[in-house]
Amino acid sequence: MPKPLKYFLIFLAVVCAMVVGYYQFANYAGRKAWAETQAKLKAAGEPVTREEWLSRKVKVPPEENFGAVEPLLGIAEVINGDPDAGEPGAKRQRLSECNPLEKVKGSQVDLPIAVSFRAGGSFDLLGWAEVFSKTDVFEEGEPVPEDPVAVLRKVLEPNQEILEALHKGNTRPHALLEPPIATRFKKEEEWISLALPHFSCILGVAKALRFHWAMATAREDGAEVLKCLVTLMRLAELSNNDDTLIGSMVGASVVAMTDDGVHSFLEEGRYQRVQDLRAIGSVARKLKASMTLAERFRFECLFVEEALDKLGSEHSPYSAINDYREYLYRYGPSGWIDQNKAAFWDAIYYSIIEPEERGLGYAAIDKRCKETVATFNRSGGWINPHTMFARESFGAYTRISFELIYSRTLVTQWITAIELELYYLQNGKYPPSLDELIDENRIELPHDEMGQQAMRYRRTEGGYLLYSIGADGTDDGGKVSLDSTHPERTRFLDEKYKGDWVWEIHRTGSRELEGENP
């Protein structure tokens, strides 16, 4: 054999041996890292497989479940991967059509800018009535009422039966989508596809309810306002209880839609009975309890875990990437996948799940998330195959956590404000401090998660100021920092916002409820 060929074959054999050796070592290291992470998670009581997580899910009788009310029953089901198929698809379509904004799709009219009471605005009833008067809601030649309430009533009338059915079921103790998540995600392909078409129709119904409470407020119909607010809260709870990040983001959107309504309900005294306040307070507390970050991030970890196992297959949710990373993991050592699973679970548990379970608040979550990103960057960032997908998947979670905690802060303010209103009805004035409120009413109040203590509070002439220290972590004394150019566009839900998240009540006269003792 010629020497050059001999040396080449020896070189080739050495290279092959090195490659095989590296694959063996990488696979061993990956299995070891993943086994160690699983052991730590199990010791902490965390589920490490889909089956373990699903086994924790409770089942409730339909008659006790708001999610089993007829308009909502079955909307989470997807038939053969087609979101439009069968009765579930038809129900979703019908609920989506409840959204009044569907009436103005494709029209050239300018829509009113939504301005929160926190930026000094209110629901633009006249503006929306004008918008709808220019759509095909009114047939050609049909007179358009001058009363904006009458215009909205015409727009919302086709959906009244659906909304009434939701109102009727909004006192049921549980709020779980049907079919439940434990049934929907039992099959591997359903888990990986993560078909969640039901959330868009929930948003459609929530927007219809937002218009309904605005109309009821204009009519000074306190009973109808109360029904709308309670049903909105139950829809937010329903979305949160689905334990997905998408569900939580939808729940946060519904909370934002409800915020102005709760404020005007209390400030303008729309309630008719003390029982109304207690009812909405109870629903708000249940909503707050459904807004835990830990469970949806457990779901996210398990989803990413199984998605990584599918890299390179036709079922891979990452197949759309279509770049070198897909091929890198398809033909690289399986240990790389295990390393990414371990890195992702470690990152989420350390940065979000553990501080959430310990009640450490957003400051701890934000700090740990930044530490984790720095660790990923030091280990090679986007080019390290051991952490590439883990880092990419983790990237947006600090922002998502912030948005969800902002939403929880709004609900915390509702709960506190309702208790303050009950105190006012009993004493004819607001308490000098939240400590006195807690002691006299023998209640517990949730803390401000941005400041890890009770909400800041002070009594004012004719009302009170209640606030969270906001994203900057600084107590600005209840200062609202509005956009200097466009105050109506102030983004409170922005990590760069400098100011507090403020809830302020100005009472106009006393409020007495006949025949009831607070």
Side-chain angles (χ1 to χ4, degrees):
M1 179 183 296
K3 284 187 177 181
L5 178 59
K6 179 180 178 182
Y7 291 148
F8 173 74
L9 292 175
I10 292 172
F11 171 76
L12 189 62
V14 170
V15 169
C16 289
M18 291 176 65
V19 170
V20 171
Y22 174 75
Y23 268 63
Q24 292 290 339
F25 173 77
N27 290 340
Y28 166 77
R31 287 194 302 270
K32 184 173 182 291
W34 181 223
E36 289 174 352
T37 294
Q38 285 181 306
K40 286 189 295 185
L41 292 169
K42 286 181 178 179
E46 292 294 324
V48 293
T49 66
R50 172 164 40 97
E51 290 73 20
E52 288 177 24
W53 184 78
L54 291 174
S55 68
R56 298 181 174 192
K57 300 297 135 184
V58 299
K59 294 182 179 180
V60 298
E63 64 274 12
E64 296 180 8
N65 185 11
F66 174 64
V69 172
E70 179 50 38
L72 300 173
L73 183 62
I75 63 167
E77 183 179 2
V78 178
I79 299 175
N80 297 325
D82 183 357
D84 299 323
E87 186 178 351
K91 273 191 175 182
R92 286 190 288 269
Q93 178 63 29
R94 180 68 188 91
L95 290 175
S96 296
E97 290 170 355
C98 288
N99 183 359
L101 299 185
E102 292 291 320
K103 313 287 185 189
V104 295
K105 264 190 177 178
S107 65
Q108 301 302 311
V109 295
D110 293 327
L111 302 182
I113 297 174
V115 185
S116 162
F117 81 89
R118 296 173 188 267
S122 60
F123 189 90
D124 189 355
L125 193 67
L126 288 172
W128 279 108
E130 184 178 352
V131 165
F132 289 124
S133 69
K134 297 176 182 177
T135 66
D136 60 4
V137 169
F138 295 91
E139 297 179 4
E140 188 174 348
E142 182 181 359
V144 178
E146 293 184 6
D147 180 6
V149 172
V151 174
L152 280 187
R153 186 183 293 115
K154 172 77 172 178
V155 172
L156 300 168
E157 192 175 30
N159 308 313
Q160 193 61 39
E161 186 177 342
I162 288 176
L163 299 184
E164 284 301 325
L166 295 178
H167 293 331
K168 188 176 179 180
N170 69 17
T171 58
R172 296 185 181 185
H174 303 284
L176 300 169
L177 280 159
E178 290 287 348
I181 197 166
T183 300
R184 275 181 285 140
F185 291 141
K186 267 186 178 177
K187 296 180 181 177
E188 184 178 89
E189 61 271 20
E190 291 170 344
W191 178 272
I192 293 299
S193 68
L194 202 61
L196 302 167
H198 46 282
F199 287 127
S200 61
C201 66
I202 288 175
L203 279 175
V205 174
K207 288 174 183 176
L209 285 164
R210 177 175 169 81
F211 278 89
H212 263 276
W213 74 245
M215 183 174 69
T217 298
R219 296 201 317 260
E220 299 187 358
D221 185 347
E224 186 66 21
V225 170
L226 178 66
K227 286 194 293 185
C228 290
L229 294 178
V230 169
T231 302
L232 276 164
M233 291 185 193
R234 297 311 305 276
L235 286 175
E237 182 188 345
L238 185 75
S239 298
N240 289 325
N241 282 338
D242 213 41
D243 291 332
T244 61
L245 281 180
I246 297 173
S248 295
M249 298 305 290
V250 170
S253 296
V254 178
V255 165
M257 292 182 208
T258 312
D259 193 39
D260 286 34
V262 177
H263 184 265
S264 65
F265 181 74
L266 297 179
E267 185 171 61
E268 298 170 15
R270 297 294 178 191
Y271 49 88
Q272 298 174 339
R273 305 170 299 169
V274 171
Q275 183 182 341
D276 295 344
L277 283 176
R278 290 186 174 139
I280 199 170
S282 174
V283 174
R285 286 181 182 272
K286 289 182 68 176
L287 171 57
K288 178 71 185 289
S290 75
M291 301 173 80
T292 60
L293 294 180
E295 196 64 6
R296 46 275 296 126
F297 278 100
R298 287 187 184 103
F299 178 96
E300 195 71 9
C301 283
L302 292 165
F303 171 75
V304 169
E305 176 187 324
E306 293 203 18
L308 286 170
D309 281 333
K310 292 290 177 289
L311 272 172
S313 77
E314 60 178 332
H315 296 298
S316 170
Y318 294 114
S319 58
I321 293 174
N322 197 27
D323 65 13
Y324 73 94
R325 288 172 291 178
E326 179 75 9
Y327 297 100
L328 189 68
Y329 285 92
R330 180 180 297 181
Y331 301 112
S334 61
W336 289 353
I337 300 293
D338 288 334
Q339 292 273 16
N340 273 271
K341 290 191 297 187
F344 186 72
W345 255 111
D346 286 343
I348 292 292
Y349 183 77
Y350 170 75
S351 304
I352 299 173
I353 294 177
E354 185 189 31
E356 167 76 1
E357 296 279 74
R358 292 173 58 191
L360 299 182
Y362 175 71
I365 291 174
D366 181 51
K367 179 182 178 182
R368 291 190 181 198
C369 282
K370 288 174 180 174
E371 288 174 1
T372 298
V373 170
T375 300
F376 278 139
N377 289 338
R378 285 195 300 271
S379 68
W382 300 102
I383 61 172
N384 184 347
H386 297 161
T387 59
M388 185 186 297
F389 273 99
R391 186 195 188 286
E392 183 174 11
S393 299
F394 182 82
Y397 289 151
T398 305
R399 174 65 187 174
I400 292 173
S401 299
F402 173 74
E403 292 179 4
L404 297 181
I405 286 176
Y406 173 77
S407 180
R408 285 204 315 219
T409 299
L410 301 188
V411 178
T412 295
Q413 290 181 330
W414 301 351
I415 293 167
T416 308
I418 290 165
E419 294 295 343
L420 285 165
E421 201 66 18
L422 287 167
Y423 182 99
Y424 181 92
L425 290 174
Q426 184 171 355
N427 297 280
K429 60 182 179 181
Y430 290 110
S433 68
L434 291 184
D435 286 339
E436 180 165 322
L437 169 66
I438 292 168
D439 291 342
E440 180 160 328
N441 289 4
R442 298 179 182 177
I443 56 169
E444 290 185 6
L445 292 177
H447 279 186
D448 173 14
E449 296 180 65
M450 305 305 291
Q452 280 304 284
Q453 65 178 62
M455 284 276 168
R456 274 67 168 179
Y457 164 85
R458 68 173 176 267
R459 194 163 54 185
T460 61
E461 186 176 350
Y464 64 85
L465 194 69
L466 180 72
Y467 65 95
S468 162
I469 63 173
D472 59 1
T474 303
D475 186 347
D476 297 300
K479 177 185 175 183
V480 178
S481 181
L482 299 180
D483 187 298
S484 57
T485 308
H486 298 287
E488 73 281 359
R489 294 178 182 171
T490 301
R491 287 185 54 79
F492 299 100
L493 184 52
D494 190 322
E495 290 175 276
K496 296 179 181 179
Y497 171 75
K498 299 296 182 183
D500 298 324
W501 295 335
V502 178
W503 173 286
E504 189 168 10
I505 290 288
H506 300 283
R507 293 192 69 91
T508 54
S510 61
R511 174 79 171 155
E512 294 183 3
L513 305 183
E514 294 182 5
E516 295 207 42
N517 183 358

